[in-house]
Amino acid sequence: MYSSRDSHPGDPAHFERDGYALIPALLSARECEDLCASAAAAVAADTVGTRCLLAHDWCAALAERLLGEAALSGILPRGHVAVQCTWFEKSRHRNWLVPAHQDLSIPVAARVDDEALGAWSLKEEAWHVQPPAALLEQLVAVRVHLDDCGEADGALSVAAGSHRGGRLEPATAAASWRSRARSLCALPRGGAMAMRPLLLHASSKATGACRRRVLHYLFGPADLPHGLQWARSYGANAGVWPQA
Ligand SMILES: O=C(O)CCC(=O)C(=O)O
């Protein structure tokens, strides 16, 4: 069984096997402070909601940096684009827990009538849909930690390798969560976690003094099947990224 002390580096082979990787030092403390200030202003202004931060230049710029980041090469495929960034701030005053689950929804531009697509929902004015597992298997989430995050701060716990079963029925997911070794993904400020959205993950309530601020990016292939289009996408292959 892994423990939170295992380094679990951003090695592509580990990432494919276990469904996650931890990169302990990606951003400086100063960069984290600046990002916290930008995110706080964006969330307070509430112009785009907590799931749509990519609309902001600072957030899109960090997405571009992640796409070119050496520590993520081999994990974030060339050609992937950023399609969502969600802000999670958890503390004793703003608290929640999340039972074990897979992330199954993606944000898209419009509804498409196709029987391969299901569970349509509107969140913060954007359509979300559950696409087939073949697409979910290509997605990569990168969680950028802007505060130290340990067990008392509601760090994610994951069941290594659970993403390899594809999209799981609830009973299978519960059994997989019970039977597999679980890892606590503790990270220092400025660290990042990459994960497959199909990896079973959970988080507990915060009991410590930290604010546990996280920017949770989702990356996927530029082109979608079934006539779908991303609600928003940033990256060299998205066609909207400002080219240097
Ligand atoms: O940040 C958390 O505590 C939970 C996040 C989560 O479960 C998710 O993004 O699906």
Side-chain angles (χ1 to χ4, degrees):
M1 183 186 283
Y2 298 117
S3 81
S4 57
R5 282 187 294 279
D6 289 327
S7 61
H8 224 83
D11 175 305
H14 285 186
F15 183 70
E16 282 317 315
R17 183 191 64 193
D18 295 339
Y20 75 102
L22 302 180
I23 297 114
L26 199 67
L27 302 181
S28 67
R30 178 61 199 266
E31 287 171 317
C32 291
E33 276 163 31
D34 290 348
L35 287 165
C36 284
S38 299
V43 172
D46 200 21
T47 49
V48 292
T50 55
R51 288 187 181 82
C52 303
L53 293 183
L54 268 181
H56 295 277
D57 288 349
W58 59 267
C59 189
L62 181 55
E64 184 186 32
R65 175 162 166 195
L66 295 173
L67 284 164
E69 176 61 49
L72 290 168
S73 68
I75 289 177
L76 259 184
R78 288 176 79 83
H80 263 34
V81 291
V83 298
Q84 191 171 46
C85 180
T86 306
W87 173 247
F88 289 116
E89 177 174 346
K90 184 191 281 194
S91 68
R92 276 182 298 176
H93 310 292
R94 193 189 183 106
N95 225 345
W96 71 86
L97 63 80
V98 194
H101 66 284
Q102 300 177 300
D103 290 341
L104 300 174
S105 292
I106 57 168
V108 294
R111 278 192 78 135
V112 173
D113 188 17
D114 187 311
E115 61 186 20
L117 307 171
W120 287 96
S121 62
L122 264 179
K123 294 176 192 162
E124 294 182 353
E125 297 178 15
W127 281 111
H128 285 68
V129 66
Q130 294 187 6
L135 173 61
L136 295 171
E137 283 163 2
Q138 297 175 56
L139 306 181
V140 180
V142 179
R143 291 168 61 87
V144 178
H145 283 260
L146 304 179
D147 295 291
D148 289 341
C149 178
E151 187 164 17
D153 309 308
L156 280 200
S157 177
V158 301
S162 53
H163 65 299
R164 284 189 268 121
R167 188 187 162 131
L168 303 173
E169 292 301 322
T172 316
S176 177
W177 185 252
R178 278 195 305 272
S179 65
R180 287 177 182 272
R182 297 198 290 262
S183 311
L184 185 76
C185 298
L187 278 166
R189 175 178 227 192
M193 171 190 189
M195 63 179 275
R196 290 286 187 201
L198 285 176
L199 183 72
L200 283 169
H201 57 287
S203 73
S204 352
K205 286 192 171 184
T207 56
C210 182
R211 290 174 69 182
R212 211 218 62 169
R213 289 165 291 186
V214 173
L215 290 167
H216 181 122
Y217 283 88
L218 182 64
F219 294 89
D223 298 317
L224 290 175
H226 304 290
L228 292 170
Q229 286 190 313
W230 294 113
R232 206 180 272 286
S233 62
Y234 292 86
N237 291 304
V240 295
W241 187 255
Q243 305 289 315

